Amino acid sequence: MRYEWKKIFERRLNVIAMLLGYMLIGICIFSYISQERFYDEKTDSYIEGIEALRMEQARAEAQTDVITEEYMTELISEIQSYNMDLESDEAYTEIIRPLGDIFYFVAKSYTDMRENTIDRNALSKLDLANGARFYEHRMEKIRDYLNCDFSYGNYTEAEKAYWIEKAENTNIPFRWGSKSVMSNLWELVFVGVYLLFVVVICTSSVFSAEYESGAAFLLLTTKYGKDRMIWSKITVSVLFVVGYLTGGTLLSAGSTALILGLPGANLPVQLWNSVIPYNLTIGQACLGSLAIIMLIGITIALVLLCSSAGLRSSLATLVIGAAIIIAPAFFPMSKESGLWNHINYLFPVRAANLKEVMGLYVSYTMGNVIIPYVGMIVIVYTVISVMALLLIRRVFVRAR
Amino acid sequence: MELILDRVTKQYKNKIAVDRLSTTLKEGVYGLLGANGAGKTTLMRMICGIAEISSGEIRLGGEEIGVMGGRYRDLLGYLPQDFGYYPNFTAMEFMLYIASLKGLDRSYAKKQSKTLLQKVGLANEMRHKIKTFSGGMRQRLGIAQALLNDPKILVLDEPTAGLDPKERVRFRNMIAELGKNRIVILSTHIVSDVEEIADWIFLMKQGQFIAQGTLEDLKEHYLEVTGAGEAEIFNLEKLYLFYFEEGDEEYDAV
């Protein structure tokens, strides 16, 4: 295996790609922190960078610990007392900017699930005669969404029951705090999708380079050339994917933790989107994202090893790998075909976006079994990986 | 030990590269001579188990080599024609890599690698990266790796290509020595290599053995076919030209 590692690390293109990948993370860390801005009412000025994140954290702590009905009623009542169009610049200056994140959280919570943008004025129209009914409203919103008529197909009764049960079992009330640092960290984990290009570059030549150089003919005549060597290549490639992506995460999480700590890691994911029906903390979701990106990375690596062994061309394999990652980003969602949409959700660039995935209420029904989106991602990528794994040896030995 | 080729055929779509070849190989040096496209490399690859046999079979000690799998490859040493080396590996690393694929114990592999690199005149270059090697040095390294597992069947495809005359002579002696207790099959365009060291010579054309035997057998055959007198000075080159210049085959410089 040591020689297989050597082959990966001694290829100049691989090393350049690896370094560029980590440089990208470094740039993202710098850019996320430097772009952070906090409006300080006392000095009537914007504070930027690390200090902005600290100020935001202090503000969130001062607002509330827990999203209670009483707090919500009080907050929305205060917002309504201004009697302003919440889309106006004046409302932004007077209400939204001082409240910060909590305003967007509340406004999004009262926005219809089919809307792509936050309806700020939903808060103005809210009847507070019986209080904010925050959690009750959350469930009504989810039920309304599940009962909608969609042009590409509706939820079955079983699916509705499944999702309602899941949403009802979400731990409430939600804890409140600043999620900015962890949201930045999640973005950094999502940069892992771009690191998949490094995976593509480094794995595309694993088998094909042996053909391109002619060494395959020698290797295949050795005692272990048709079995152990192939497994070594596969093992090293998979370990490379896991190691490289973990390295990227350690770099981003380590740097963030070193600079800011990891405040907000134990807050619930519902602070991203209150309708999310999973009992996870933001920290767990970040780890989950990493796990899914890693699974996708391993699958892509195995598929490319198969292609590398069969096509015997590093370039062709590289093109296939890049296409697997880039092309689906341009596939539109259909207004007619639910099937296509369900397939489209499974392509790497969408599947890796766990933050979005969790609030989408996408499920796959097979007979009486309902598989949630995250579960389906795991199943599909695992099945593809196993198939590729079984094919690699056959393809490499046969391609001779 | 007998390596039996039994009506071995290789067909690529409409082209027959190797056509129902049968022979029995025992310890000794076997030379394969033929023009480009005669089927030499294909035959060698089939013997090494890296080209599928379309029909017929190859057996070692009565067992089909495909069935033997790793056990057969354990007995094999192969030097492919124009094979790629890993430019960033040192000669020693390359030897140890191949040794690990041949299943050799690491300490034995180290010792054996040093001995073989010395034998092929690369002892002083064992720590140098292969990308700094000349064509001849790479070829010598290729020969050394083929011998790592002390193979009982040694298949050498154009082993003397790129070697200078001095190296070639040294290499011929080495092969002659190796052929005493193993099957050595070598293919070449260089007629003098075969003439000097092969115990048995196969002349290949269009996937078939058109003549075979010891140098003496072939001489007799040549004299018989051409009607030349005993007084004529015979060498294999004449025979080669006799067979290959007459046909339509592309003729490579001998």
Side-chain angles (χ1 to χ4, degrees):
Chain A
M1 287 223 301
R2 147 176 117 86
Y3 297 102
E4 298 305 334
W5 281 115
K6 193 174 163 64
K7 285 183 202 171
I8 288 185
F9 282 100
E10 290 209 336
R11 198 166 167 243
R12 197 172 294 170
L13 179 66
N14 293 359
V15 176
I16 293 171
M18 283 182 237
L19 292 176
L20 283 178
Y22 282 166
M23 264 172 66
L24 175 70
I25 289 185
I27 292 167
C28 288
I29 294 171
F30 176 75
S31 135
Y32 287 142
I33 293 177
S34 63
Q35 277 174 16
E36 210 55 57
R37 294 179 88 207
F38 180 85
Y39 175 70
D40 185 15
E41 280 179 284
K42 286 178 197 160
T43 57
D44 189 25
S45 63
Y46 280 99
I47 295 164
E48 292 180 345
I50 297 171
E51 196 50 31
L53 285 162
R54 291 204 175 113
M55 296 286 278
E56 202 178 311
Q57 205 180 325
R59 176 173 62 189
E61 279 167 13
Q63 283 166 333
T64 184
D65 285 344
V66 179
I67 303 287
T68 59
E69 292 293 352
E70 295 73 31
Y71 179 76
M72 277 292 134
T73 309
E74 204 178 301
L75 179 69
I76 297 168
S77 167
E78 190 193 328
I79 292 168
Q80 287 181 347
S81 69
Y82 285 88
N83 201 20
M84 281 182 189
D85 173 7
L86 294 174
E87 299 288 348
S88 68
D89 289 347
E90 198 189 356
Y92 177 77
T93 315
E94 295 289 317
I95 309 166
I96 301 170
R97 193 167 62 183
L99 285 174
D101 254 7
I102 201 158
F103 174 85
Y104 294 106
F105 169 72
V106 179
K108 190 174 180 182
S109 298
Y110 285 93
T111 300
D112 191 282
M113 278 175 76
R114 283 169 299 176
E115 296 290 333
N116 288 326
T117 52
I118 296 174
D119 177 12
R120 297 177 186 187
N121 281 317
L123 298 178
S124 317
K125 292 174 239 162
L126 203 65
D127 180 6
L128 292 176
N130 296 318
R133 294 169 54 249
F134 180 77
Y135 295 104
E136 215 177 304
H137 183 271
R138 171 179 177 265
M139 285 310 301
E140 280 169 15
K141 183 173 135 174
I142 292 167
R143 280 195 192 92
D144 284 350
Y145 179 74
L146 294 171
N147 285 311
C148 275
D149 275 328
F150 295 99
S151 54
Y152 46 82
N154 295 335
Y155 286 96
T156 62
E157 289 307 316
E159 280 178 311
K160 287 178 198 171
Y162 172 84
W163 284 119
I164 287 168
E165 193 197 339
K166 255 190 125 36
E168 279 176 342
N169 286 331
T170 311
N171 295 333
I172 54 168
F174 303 145
R175 290 188 56 215
W176 177 252
S178 172
K179 60 183 189 303
S180 299
V181 171
M182 288 308 290
S183 293
N184 281 343
L185 182 60
W186 184 86
E187 298 289 344
L188 289 170
V189 171
F190 188 65
V191 170
V193 171
Y194 301 102
L195 297 188
L196 294 180
F197 284 107
V198 179
V199 169
V200 168
I201 290 169
C202 295
T203 52
S204 60
S205 61
V206 169
F207 284 104
S208 52
E210 308 291 9
Y211 281 115
E212 285 161 347
S213 70
F217 293 114
L218 168 62
L219 304 180
L220 285 168
T221 60
T222 60
K223 186 180 180 184
Y224 296 137
K226 290 183 181 176
D227 36 55
R228 283 195 204 178
M229 183 200 71
I230 295 171
W231 290 114
S232 289
K233 283 181 182 293
I234 294 170
T235 309
V236 165
S237 301
V238 170
L239 288 177
F240 170 75
V241 174
V242 173
Y244 187 68
L245 293 179
T246 306
T249 309
L250 287 177
L251 181 65
S252 42
S255 315
T256 309
L258 213 65
I259 301 167
L260 303 156
L262 294 173
N266 56 351
L267 293 172
V269 284
Q270 282 73 21
L271 299 196
W272 277 337
N273 185 353
S274 60
V275 296
I276 293 175
Y278 297 97
N279 280 320
L280 288 173
T281 64
I282 295 179
Q284 288 168 335
C286 285
L287 285 175
S289 281
L290 175 67
I292 287 184
I293 291 172
M294 222 169 249
L295 175 64
I296 293 171
I298 291 170
T299 307
I300 289 178
L302 292 173
V303 168
L304 292 185
L305 289 182
C306 205
S307 149
S308 172
L311 294 176
R312 303 195 239 173
S313 160
S314 304
L315 184 65
T317 307
L318 194 70
V319 171
I320 290 173
I324 290 172
I325 299 172
I326 300 168
F330 300 99
F331 294 165
M333 298 309 282
S334 167
K335 285 182 179 164
E336 287 86 32
S337 171
L339 176 65
W340 164 249
N341 289 343
H342 277 75
I343 293 169
N344 204 355
Y345 280 128
L346 293 171
F347 287 116
V349 75
R350 288 202 168 79
N353 195 345
L354 191 60
K355 192 175 167 187
E356 293 300 313
V357 167
M358 288 190 299
L360 283 178
Y361 286 76
V362 176
S363 48
Y364 294 76
T365 308
M366 288 180 184
N368 295 325
V369 183
I370 292 163
I371 304 164
Y373 187 12
V374 178
M376 195 62 177
I377 290 170
V378 174
I379 291 171
V380 166
Y381 282 90
T382 306
V383 168
I384 296 173
S385 294
V386 171
M387 280 166 59
L389 201 58
L390 296 174
L391 274 175
I392 292 168
R393 184 186 172 276
R394 183 178 295 194
V395 170
F396 182 62
V397 174
R398 283 254 169 119
R400 73 192 188 267
Chain B
M1 188 176 57
E2 278 187 351
L3 185 70
I4 297 169
L5 277 65
D6 186 4
R7 286 163 294 157
V8 173
T9 303
K10 179 70 185 176
Q11 187 164 3
Y12 297 104
K13 289 181 183 166
N14 297 327
K15 193 190 177 235
I16 295 175
V18 171
D19 192 5
R20 289 165 295 161
L21 295 185
S22 294
T23 190
T24 299
L25 310 176
K26 293 177 182 174
E27 283 83 354
V29 179
Y30 297 85
L32 271 178
L33 268 178
N36 277 350
K40 304 188 298 290
T41 296
T42 306
L43 175 61
M44 293 189 131
R45 285 181 182 174
M46 286 196 288
I47 291 172
C48 290
I50 49 173
E52 275 181 49
I53 300 168
S54 306
S55 66
E57 59 180 28
I58 300 174
R59 294 188 298 272
L60 180 73
E63 203 175 352
E64 207 270 317
I65 61 167
V67 175
M68 289 179 77
R71 277 187 294 126
Y72 175 71
R73 295 196 297 276
D74 200 19
L75 302 172
L76 195 66
Y78 179 44
L79 171 68
Q81 187 182 355
D82 301 328
F83 87 99
Y85 296 81
Y86 303 102
N88 287 312
F89 279 34
T90 64
M92 192 59 169
E93 280 172 338
F94 177 72
M95 291 292 280
L96 291 176
Y97 174 50
I98 300 298
S100 71
L101 293 178
K102 291 189 173 193
L104 304 184
D105 169 72
R106 193 164 166 78
S107 58
Y108 172 76
K110 268 189 177 172
K111 200 174 135 196
Q112 179 78 338
S113 298
K114 275 184 192 167
T115 310
L116 288 169
L117 287 173
Q118 204 154 17
K119 207 167 181 178
V120 296
L122 290 174
N124 295 330
E125 284 81 18
M126 66 172 78
R127 305 276 167 224
H128 294 184
K129 289 201 171 183
I130 301 175
K131 64 182 171 193
T132 64
F133 284 13
S134 67
M137 287 161 85
R138 288 179 192 204
Q139 196 67 0
R140 281 187 274 153
L141 179 62
I143 293 158
Q145 66 75 29
L147 296 171
L148 265 169
N149 54 332
D150 191 20
K152 297 291 165 258
I153 301 162
L154 183 59
V155 181
L156 307 167
D157 201 351
E158 303 284 355
T160 52
L163 299 183
D164 62 36
K166 194 177 150 195
E167 285 169 336
R168 194 177 296 153
V169 170
R170 187 163 66 165
F171 182 64
R172 278 179 194 164
N173 295 337
M174 198 198 296
I175 292 180
E177 186 64 31
L178 290 167
K180 285 179 184 164
N181 57 354
R182 73 195 79 214
I183 298 168
V184 179
I185 306 163
L186 75 119
S187 92
T188 183
H189 284 115
I190 302 162
V191 178
S192 58
D193 284 348
V194 174
E195 195 167 27
E196 299 251 337
I197 53 172
D199 301 312
W200 193 268
I201 298 161
F202 293 101
L203 289 173
M204 271 191 89
K205 192 174 181 179
Q206 292 173 342
Q208 292 183 320
F209 295 145
I210 50 169
Q212 61 173 296
T214 61
L215 192 61
E216 277 306 305
D217 294 338
L218 293 173
K219 178 183 172 182
E220 269 178 38
H221 181 244
Y222 172 78
L223 297 176
E224 194 182 305
V225 172
T226 59
E230 277 288 338
E232 184 174 340
I233 298 164
F234 171 81
N235 60 36
L236 193 57
E237 199 161 315
K238 277 191 177 173
L239 184 71
Y240 186 93
L241 292 171
F242 171 72
Y243 278 114
F244 294 108
E245 280 213 320
E246 288 190 347
D248 296 324
E249 296 275 341
E250 182 196 337
Y251 174 66
D252 252 40
V254 177

